[in-house]
Amino acid sequence: MAGAAVRRIKLGSQGLEVSAQGLGCMGMSMSYGPPNPEEDMIKLIHHAINSGVTFLDTPDYYGLHTNEILIGKALKGGMRQKVELATKFGIKFVDWKVEICGDPAYVRAACEASLKRLDVDYIDLYYQHQIVLTPSKSVAAE
């Protein structure tokens, strides 16, 4: 597939342009059986990027944070500059129960933690994984 062109599209109204085909990374560390070998997943991510699939998507909770760490490792060596990186926030586990959260203090802390786990300086698209149907006025104001 080397040399094949993957169409690019605008995402939203802020000017972000991404590959029309993205790579959702959930199955690399959860949901479809045991986590896959890290080395194999890094090779898969590199293959996708080198094939023109440059929009990578993960959230902070896949594999209880291990998915972001995996993506960060895959983006070493100049790969970060070749991708549009999306990660999500809003689902957290408290006492083994899922909570949906979107308050500003949580969002800031979650973003800082994602930047650290991904080992990157910026995230191209940061969005809420699950929406609270009745957001507080403070969240809307942020």
Side-chain angles (χ1 to χ4, degrees):
M1 187 167 186
V6 175
R7 187 171 55 96
R8 300 203 43 91
I9 59 171
K10 288 198 186 259
L11 185 63
S13 61
Q14 302 294 312
L16 181 62
E17 189 175 291
V18 301
S19 59
Q21 181 179 355
L23 180 62
C25 299
M26 179 179 74
M28 296 178 183
S29 33
M30 67 175 278
S31 293
Y32 304 112
N36 293 292
E38 186 175 275
E39 183 178 313
D40 292 349
M41 295 301 96
I42 290 172
K43 286 179 185 176
L44 175 72
I45 293 165
H46 289 174
H47 177 74
I49 294 167
N50 292 330
S51 298
V53 177
T54 60
F55 183 41
L56 306 182
D57 184 64
T58 187
D60 58 2
Y61 86 96
Y62 287 171
L64 295 177
H65 308 302
T66 61
N67 202 260
E68 285 186 333
I69 294 166
L70 169 68
I71 303 307
K73 289 177 181 179
L75 295 180
K76 297 285 182 223
M79 293 301 245
R80 172 62 183 104
Q81 291 72 28
K82 297 179 180 183
V83 303
E84 299 79 44
L85 178 60
T87 193
K88 301 179 272 304
F89 65 91
I91 297 177
K92 63 181 186 174
F93 296 93
V94 178
D95 296 326
W96 295 101
K97 293 180 184 171
V98 173
E99 286 188 10
I100 307 304
C101 188
D103 68 83
Y106 164 76
V107 174
R108 273 190 221 88
C111 185
E112 289 172 10
S114 288
L115 286 165
K116 189 172 189 174
R117 282 189 295 271
L118 290 160
D119 197 18
V120 297
D121 295 329
Y122 64 98
I123 297 164
D124 297 292
L125 177 61
Y126 191 63
Y127 63 109
Q128 190 157 356
H129 197 269
Q130 211 159 16
I131 297 173
V132 178
L133 294 178
T134 53
S136 70
K137 289 181 182 178
S138 63
V139 171
E142 285 285 317

